[in-house]
Amino acid sequence: MKKIIFTILITSSIFCKINVVASTTDLAAIAKTIGDNRIKVISIATDKQDHHHVEVLPSYMLKVKKADIYLKVGLELDLWANQIIDGSRNRKLKIVNCSENIKPLEVPTTKINASMGDIHKMGNPHYWLDPENGKIIADNITKALISVDPAGREFYENNFDEFIKSINDSLAEWLRDFNNLQGKKLIYYHNSWPYFDNRFGLEAVQFIEPKPGIMPSPIHLDRLIRIIESDDIKLIGMETYFSDKAPKFLAIKTGIQIVHLAQSVGALPNTETYLKMIRYNLQTISKFFNNDND
């Protein structure tokens, strides 16, 4: 009888999954790639949600209470996660700042005030949209998984190596196949894309928001119309969670086209993995410029 109980305990420990909670679907997707069947991972923010503003619910705290690891975006994007973590009262929780070792872009050099909009003093927090930063995120997650599950070290490291290879192979392919994007100018709704643009050679001329998090005024829209016409801008790229009222107004006035881009894993069809999300955005923008040149 003792032998049976001992066997059950050993078997249970082998199949006891590490519980991971991530702030976003992007971090959850990368964690699942590394952890596979050794972990159970959920995301607090949905794939179609503005990550800057997430309502904190008691149910989130209960989820984190049972977690072994919490994955934060950092760079002040998911400050709401602090309330969830504190409310969970989970003293064994390992908190991972996935922005660690990321080189942030657009770090303010002047004093920040409310008139500047939703500016992050540590830099632009949308770093996951550069696949090179995806490798850094994966490294941070891999180290965290090993720290709470040392027995899985080889498993996690092998998956990490495969993920890095897949990113390297994909990047080589994308930089070759989408080289038509180099130097292309467009307008975005929100300033989510500097890391993506830097990697693939795009240039953001302006934003629908006059300042981050600020709704466009008639004066700003008139200014955008003049810029679109003078600089011959042909495309607006926008996240899935913003209203398309202002972009459609600009389209009516100028003929500019609008495309929806996946700001996160799962935000649009065929973006259910990290690499598919990046590929979808490249294909969507590239297809427009290819058609525009026909």
Side-chain angles (χ1 to χ4, degrees):
M1 184 65 178
K2 289 183 179 180
K3 185 176 180 180
I4 293 174
I5 294 174
F6 180 75
T7 302
I8 292 173
L9 290 173
I10 293 295
T11 304
S12 298
S13 65
I14 292 173
F15 291 96
C16 183
K17 294 189 176 184
I18 303 301
N19 286 314
V20 180
V21 177
S23 281
T24 68
T25 57
D26 311 285
L27 303 183
I30 294 174
K32 188 60 180 176
T33 300
I34 305 301
D36 197 18
N37 60 358
R38 289 188 75 96
I39 73 169
K40 178 182 178 183
V41 59
I42 60 171
S43 170
I44 296 295
T46 69
D47 46 22
K48 296 177 180 62
Q49 192 169 12
D50 184 349
H51 297 159
H52 298 82
H53 309 291
V54 173
E55 182 184 1
V56 174
L57 302 176
S59 60
Y60 299 159
M61 299 175 188
L62 291 176
K63 291 176 181 177
V64 176
K65 186 178 182 64
K66 301 174 183 178
D68 300 291
I69 297 173
Y70 190 96
L71 304 176
K72 292 185 64 178
V73 176
L75 297 184
E76 297 187 330
L77 178 72
D78 51 348
L79 289 173
W80 43 265
N82 296 334
Q83 186 179 347
I84 296 173
I85 292 168
D86 291 343
S88 74
R89 300 180 183 273
N90 184 348
R91 294 184 179 180
K92 68 177 179 65
L93 184 69
K94 183 175 184 61
I95 302 168
V96 182
N97 183 347
C98 290
S99 69
E100 186 175 348
N101 299 320
I102 297 288
K103 185 177 181 180
L105 300 177
E106 301 178 348
V107 179
T109 56
T110 59
K111 187 175 181 180
I112 297 173
N113 58 63
S115 68
M116 300 168 70
D118 189 15
I119 297 290
H120 298 271
K121 66 182 179 182
M122 299 178 71
N124 191 297
H126 300 274
Y127 57 85
W128 63 88
L129 290 165
D130 178 354
E132 288 289 352
N133 288 339
K135 295 193 285 188
I136 297 174
I137 296 168
D139 183 55
N140 291 330
I141 292 173
T142 300
K143 290 174 181 175
L145 289 172
I146 291 171
S147 72
V148 301
D149 181 21
R153 173 183 289 274
E154 184 177 359
F155 179 84
Y156 298 132
E157 288 180 344
N158 287 340
N159 286 346
F160 171 78
D161 290 342
E162 289 183 13
F163 182 65
I164 298 304
K165 183 179 184 303
S166 67
I167 287 185
N168 289 337
D169 291 346
S170 295
L171 262 175
E173 174 191 333
W174 295 336
L175 291 172
R176 180 189 68 242
D177 293 348
F178 300 111
N179 62 0
N180 67 313
L181 298 183
Q182 291 290 325
K184 297 296 185 183
K185 298 179 179 181
L186 69 164
I187 289 173
Y188 290 112
Y189 196 108
H190 178 76
N191 190 16
S192 301
W193 306 94
Y195 297 91
F196 182 83
D197 288 352
N198 276 13
R199 184 58 53 197
F200 299 108
L202 291 157
E203 181 182 344
V205 175
Q206 256 297 339
F207 304 96
I208 301 295
E209 294 178 327
K211 296 176 182 178
I214 304 299
M215 292 289 291
S217 65
I219 293 174
H220 182 64
L221 292 176
D222 285 342
R223 178 168 175 258
L224 289 178
I225 290 172
R226 293 195 298 272
I227 291 172
I228 291 167
E229 293 175 341
S230 63
D231 292 5
D232 195 27
I233 307 302
K234 301 293 185 65
L235 186 65
I236 295 173
M238 64 178 295
E239 297 81 354
T240 59
Y241 48 77
F242 287 117
S243 166
D244 61 1
K245 182 178 179 180
K248 283 185 175 179
F249 172 80
L250 294 174
I252 292 170
K253 293 293 184 179
T254 67
I256 195 169
Q257 299 296 304
I258 304 165
V259 295
H260 283 89
L261 302 174
Q263 73 283 342
S264 286
V265 169
L268 289 165
N270 302 316
T271 65
E272 65 272 15
T273 70
Y274 180 73
L275 291 179
K276 284 186 177 181
M277 174 193 65
I278 301 294
R279 178 183 294 277
Y280 177 91
N281 291 330
L282 288 169
Q283 288 177 331
T284 300
I285 298 173
S286 179
K287 181 179 179 181
F288 168 81
F289 283 115
N290 280 339
N291 291 340
D292 186 59
N293 290 331
D294 290 342

